[in-house]
Amino acid sequence: MPQARGKKYKEAAKAISRTEQYAPDEAVRLVLKSSTSKFDGAIEAHLRLGVDPRHADQMVRGSVVLPHGTGKKRRVLVFATGEKAREASEAGADYVGADDLVKRIQEGWLDFDVALATPDLMGQVGRLGKILGPRGLMPNPRAGTVTFDIGRAVKDIQGGRIEYRVDKTGIIHTNIGKASYTETQLRDNFAALMDAVVRAKPGSAKGQYLRSVYLSPTMGPSVPVDPAAAGRMS
């Protein structure tokens, strides 16, 4: 049985045509107006791509630094030792360690949002694949979360770097800001994401790459965006 929509949702939905695909700037304006939450909700982007993620050469994933961040502080865990552990701590990592963190996670502790690792520790971190992988927390070189430049990686994440990845249906879901953002801030973040995703297009992907693009608030109606126009953002 479909969920009944509230009065605020219905009022916000009146301003959005379900048959029109909006230019990015107009979509940003509309999605900020369509947020109906009393709290400062998130604004998300949902991109359906013309790829088949069952094939490794069509997996689209990566990271991008949003110019204005996501508006949310993320707890960063770093697997590192020695000088790199000190570097991570000085950069602002919330948790730094090696075997001790591996053991805590194996025991069920997952009180963090992003995990980074230096390459030399991936042999130990690899044991956590079945725990971290399904939650999208496993460090990965393609996402920039396995690196010796660990201090910069921590600062990038605290400064607004996000990871994106297609799910099994070929859709990317990611946060690009808050309902309290200005149109310029949200537009800049949206453009940064679109630029990164377009650049990450696999060579093996055939046909239309950007199938559909939507912006949506935590609470409120989503806004359809013209995929071709979104793909030209910079």
Side-chain angles (χ1 to χ4, degrees):
M1 183 176 179
Q3 181 180 1
R5 300 296 189 183
K7 182 179 179 181
K8 287 185 178 180
Y9 182 101
K10 292 178 180 178
E11 284 297 317
K14 290 179 181 179
I16 302 169
S17 169
R18 306 321 301 172
T19 60
E20 182 176 351
Q21 293 180 331
Y22 293 92
D25 287 359
E26 179 66 4
V28 165
R29 185 185 70 82
L30 287 170
V31 76
L32 288 173
K33 290 185 66 176
S34 73
S35 177
T36 62
S37 60
K38 294 182 180 179
F39 56 90
D40 188 13
I43 301 296
E44 299 178 346
H46 305 275
L47 320 176
R48 185 166 67 90
L49 306 182
V51 298
D52 186 348
R54 293 176 298 179
H55 301 292
D57 62 351
Q58 292 193 43
M59 171 58 69
V60 178
R61 70 177 301 175
S63 63
V64 58
V65 176
L66 300 181
H68 305 287
T70 63
K72 177 183 177 182
K73 186 182 185 306
R74 294 187 291 171
R75 298 161 298 177
V76 180
L77 177 148
V78 176
F79 295 101
T81 58
E83 180 64 21
K84 291 302 176 181
R86 185 183 66 78
E87 186 180 319
S89 295
E90 291 180 351
D94 298 278
Y95 309 102
V96 181
D99 284 335
D100 55 328
L101 291 181
V102 171
K103 183 179 179 181
R104 286 184 70 184
I105 291 170
Q106 288 175 328
E107 292 172 348
W109 177 76
L110 290 167
D111 195 22
F112 55 94
D113 303 303
V114 182
L116 304 174
T118 52
D120 56 310
L121 289 188
M122 283 306 293
Q124 294 157 261
V125 178
R127 304 200 299 266
L128 303 174
K130 291 183 179 179
I131 300 172
L132 300 182
R135 295 171 173 83
L137 294 172
M138 187 67 182
N140 184 288
R142 290 178 62 184
T145 48
V146 177
T147 176
F148 277 121
D149 195 359
I150 205 70
R152 179 177 178 180
V154 171
K155 289 178 180 177
D156 280 350
I157 289 171
Q158 298 291 25
R161 191 177 83 182
I162 61 168
E163 294 178 45
Y164 60 85
R165 176 179 181 174
V166 290
D167 63 15
K168 62 183 180 181
T169 64
I171 300 175
I172 290 174
H173 308 275
T174 189
N175 184 346
I176 60 168
K178 304 285 274 184
S180 59
Y181 277 24
T182 65
E183 291 180 24
T184 299
Q185 288 175 318
L186 192 63
R187 196 263 181 209
D188 289 348
N189 281 1
F190 185 30
L193 172 68
M194 294 308 306
D195 182 66
V197 172
V198 169
R199 290 177 184 273
K201 178 183 178 180
S204 57
K206 306 300 181 183
Q208 184 178 356
Y209 179 54
L210 292 172
R211 298 288 179 84
S212 67
V213 178
Y214 283 83
L215 296 180
S216 64
T218 299
M219 296 176 65
S222 60
V223 181
V225 188
D226 178 359
R232 294 192 295 268
M233 296 181 76
S234 63

